[in-house]
Amino acid sequence: MSHVWLNLILTVIVASSFVRTAGARCSVEGPRHSADLLLKGTVLTPQGSLENGCVLVRSGKVDYVGTGCGSDPSVTVVDCTGSVISPGFINTHEHIEYSTFAPLDDIGERVDHRHDWRRGMRDNAERPVQVNGTKPDATAWGELRHLFSGTTSIIGGAMVPGLTRNLDFVAGLEDGIESPVATWDIFPLDDSEGILRSRDCDYGPNATTVEEAGKLYRYMAHVGEGVDDEAANEFRCLSDPTYDVVPSPDGAGLSVDIVASNFALVHALGLTRADFDLVAQRGAKIVWSPRSNVFLYGKTLDVTYLLDAGITVALGTDWLPSGSATMAREAVCGYMVTQESFGRTVSPKTLWEMMTINAAKVAGFEEQVGSLEAGKVADIIVFGGRGAGGQEHDDPFARVVFSAAEDLELVMRGGKVLLAGERLGALTGGACETVSFGDMARTICVEDELGRSFAELERSLDGVYPAILPAIPDGEPTCKATR
Ligand SMILES: [Zn+2]
């Protein structure tokens, strides 16, 4: 059976087990008479879910979270009883400017190292990708796609002002948060030319030094993106100063040790269990992008080993060409592949932590975002409906992590409403427009940040991959492991 068919069948199986039924929708009680809001519903917290809970938002920040909601006439009440209130998702890995390029066709090839597909090395097909439209337009489009599926913060290597927070740019943090920011790096070993090593560290002359890495607030770098010894070698060169002590002719090429609590390894697919033990011991972190791993390399890592070792793991979508279009689709993939490849279960709550509080820890912003706690910015999403239907998926965490964009009722960033459901019009202000999410209407208010309406940007991009997606996005790369 072809990979395409397998993928389709598996996707249908997963989707149908999370079938949504019509359910609760939020509504505003009376007119919006105050900028401050009291949201009522099932609230997700790292300690568990609070049925009949509430979140009080004052001046763009979370003021109170709990079950003692009472009735305060000085605030506008948003009744989301039966819906689930969560902190916005934090996507810890994206190449956001590739958001106008449709997912790559599946040619059935699974390679051993990223340079194989990047540069067509070792008899593999080169998989070129491109940015359609200007880079700022394509980046805005990507931020909108994530915003319209519940993501409020991104680390994506590019940014536009407004829309999602960009935790890797001082200018992209948005109201309520100050620097320092995370540093995003594709080639810590200066190997962009396709350098593959397995017995030494003779990569490019500008590999990251201990001193450089040590100065960074958070260093989030691609390491070991592959399944071969060349991928494993990259971690040896960044973790063991005794491994290569002979300089290359240009004076570089020595192994170093930068494994520390400010270091987050993106992908880390080539690491051994002993390597992960060292990552755990040093308090370093891992960014997991299972769909892109599976599509490009045929497998992903056993995340349960990392979790058992105590490593803080965050989820990231990688990019549209080989990864998930939304955080929820990344969660579906992570859940499914861990069961199929390793016979282990990652609970919806654990996945939710990887998308919220643990993502904030990995990015270094856990004091400001990642959970609904007094003093943090009010980056809040609400999913209506029953989310993941069926007995086993009544779990409110599952309803959020396996959500579909059509169920999104509310998105706010720092208390500012950017998307609102059909009965929440009273919350919106400024230049807003109505768009269709499946058969639901949503009000989106992004024009003052985008500098033009969403409809205008959409027209100018002329038929690129959409920013508002169905439950299963078109052309989604497979999550079916082949090894
Ligand atoms: Zn990447």
Side-chain angles (χ1 to χ4, degrees):
M1 196 184 295
S2 76
H3 297 297
V4 176
W5 278 107
L6 263 176
N7 186 31
L8 191 67
I9 289 166
L10 278 161
T11 304
V12 169
I13 290 167
V14 169
S16 57
S17 63
F18 303 139
V19 151
R20 296 170 312 285
T21 52
R25 297 286 167 201
C26 302
S27 59
V28 183
E29 288 181 6
R32 182 171 188 173
H33 60 279
S34 164
D36 298 333
L37 301 174
L38 182 68
L39 304 173
K40 293 181 173 179
T42 300
V43 182
L44 302 187
T45 82
Q47 292 74 41
S49 63
L50 306 172
E51 212 176 326
N52 299 315
C54 63
V55 180
L56 179 60
V57 177
R58 281 196 195 277
S59 306
K61 297 210 165 173
V62 176
D63 189 75
Y64 171 83
V65 178
T67 50
C69 308
S71 59
D72 181 345
S74 74
V75 299
T76 303
V77 175
V78 183
D79 185 1
C80 294
T81 303
S83 297
V84 187
I85 303 169
S86 168
F89 299 143
I90 300 168
N91 185 350
T92 49
H93 189 58
E94 251 290 351
H95 300 256
I96 192 72
E97 74 268 34
Y98 291 99
S99 293
T100 52
F101 184 79
L104 291 166
D105 289 335
D106 191 348
I107 57 171
E109 193 169 81
R110 306 289 176 255
V111 301
D112 294 335
H113 192 280
R114 63 174 171 169
H115 295 331
D116 292 333
W117 61 263
R118 283 186 60 244
R119 303 182 64 88
M121 290 173 69
R122 303 189 290 193
D123 295 324
N124 293 291
E126 188 178 340
R127 306 306 308 268
V129 291
Q130 69 194 53
V131 175
N132 296 315
T134 65
K135 185 174 163 178
D137 281 1
T139 300
W141 197 241
E143 292 194 18
L144 288 163
R145 190 183 82 240
H146 284 298
L147 202 58
F148 294 160
S149 49
T151 295
T152 50
S153 293
I154 292 180
I155 294 175
M159 63 153 283
V160 291
L163 308 182
T164 62
R165 298 185 194 272
N166 304 95
L167 303 184
D168 49 344
F169 291 92
V170 173
L173 290 178
E174 307 304 330
D175 289 348
I177 300 191
E178 285 171 7
S179 57
V181 294
T183 299
W184 179 98
D185 191 2
I186 310 181
F187 301 107
L189 291 163
D190 191 19
D191 61 329
S192 68
E193 298 302 313
I195 305 170
L196 292 164
R197 309 300 298 172
S198 60
R199 293 288 168 267
D200 60 42
C201 302
D202 293 350
Y203 295 102
N206 298 309
T208 302
T209 64
V210 172
E211 195 186 19
E212 286 163 348
K215 279 189 217 155
L216 298 174
Y217 176 59
R218 280 288 183 281
Y219 185 40
M220 305 184 66
H222 293 65
V223 180
E225 188 180 346
V227 297
D228 55 7
D229 194 43
E230 285 78 1
N233 194 66
E234 296 171 14
F235 185 75
R236 289 198 285 274
C237 291
L238 293 170
S239 64
D240 179 3
T242 68
Y243 171 52
D244 185 353
V245 295
V246 182
S248 50
D250 59 19
L254 301 175
S255 61
V256 297
D257 180 0
I258 63 166
V259 184
S261 59
N262 71 333
F263 187 35
L265 296 85
V266 177
H267 297 306
L269 190 51
L271 272 65
T272 64
R273 289 194 163 187
D275 294 338
F276 285 121
D277 293 343
L278 181 68
V279 168
Q281 188 193 322
R282 300 285 182 81
K285 284 105 177 148
I286 298 292
V287 174
W288 185 38
S289 297
R291 188 180 302 277
S292 189
N293 291 168
V294 167
F295 180 81
L296 295 170
Y297 312 107
K299 64 181 280 194
T300 191
L301 41 85
D302 179 0
V303 77
T304 64
Y305 184 82
L306 283 63
L307 296 170
D308 290 347
I311 297 172
T312 303
V313 180
L315 210 57
T317 53
D318 199 5
W319 65 349
L320 196 55
S322 64
S324 296
T326 69
M327 286 292 279
R329 294 305 298 166
E330 197 66 41
V332 168
C333 177
Y335 181 85
M336 188 166 86
V337 74
T338 302
Q339 283 202 325
E340 290 178 357
S341 293
F342 306 107
R344 303 279 308 264
T345 298
V346 198
S347 74
K349 179 168 187 284
T350 299
L351 287 163
W352 177 81
E353 287 164 355
M354 292 181 190
M355 299 156 84
T356 57
I357 186 61
N358 286 359
K361 287 176 184 168
V362 166
F365 287 86
E366 69 272 26
E367 301 295 322
Q368 296 95 347
V369 292
S371 62
L372 301 177
E373 288 177 82
K376 290 194 177 186
V377 292
D379 290 4
I380 298 177
I381 55 176
V382 179
F383 282 98
R386 293 299 302 167
Q391 292 289 45
E392 70 278 30
H393 298 300
D394 247 8
D395 176 356
F397 288 97
R399 290 166 61 187
V400 168
V401 301
F402 304 134
S403 55
E406 295 116 80
D407 284 337
L408 197 49
E409 278 285 290
L410 184 66
V411 177
M412 63 168 74
R413 186 202 67 226
K416 180 177 180 180
V417 174
L418 299 172
L419 176 146
E422 283 170 340
R423 289 192 276 160
L424 294 178
L427 298 182
T428 60
C432 302
E433 58 205 293
T434 303
V435 293
S436 296
F437 276 58
D439 51 10
M440 312 277 191
R442 292 286 177 265
T443 303
I444 55 169
C445 306
V446 292
E447 184 171 340
D448 60 336
E449 304 198 344
L450 208 49
R452 76 198 111 155
S453 69
F454 173 74
E456 278 174 90
L457 176 61
E458 187 174 39
R459 266 196 303 279
S460 76
L461 286 171
D462 192 24
V464 298
Y465 197 79
I468 299 173
L469 295 168
I472 299 169
D474 281 347
E476 181 178 73
T478 183
C479 184
K480 176 68 181 169
T482 51
R483 57 179 165 189

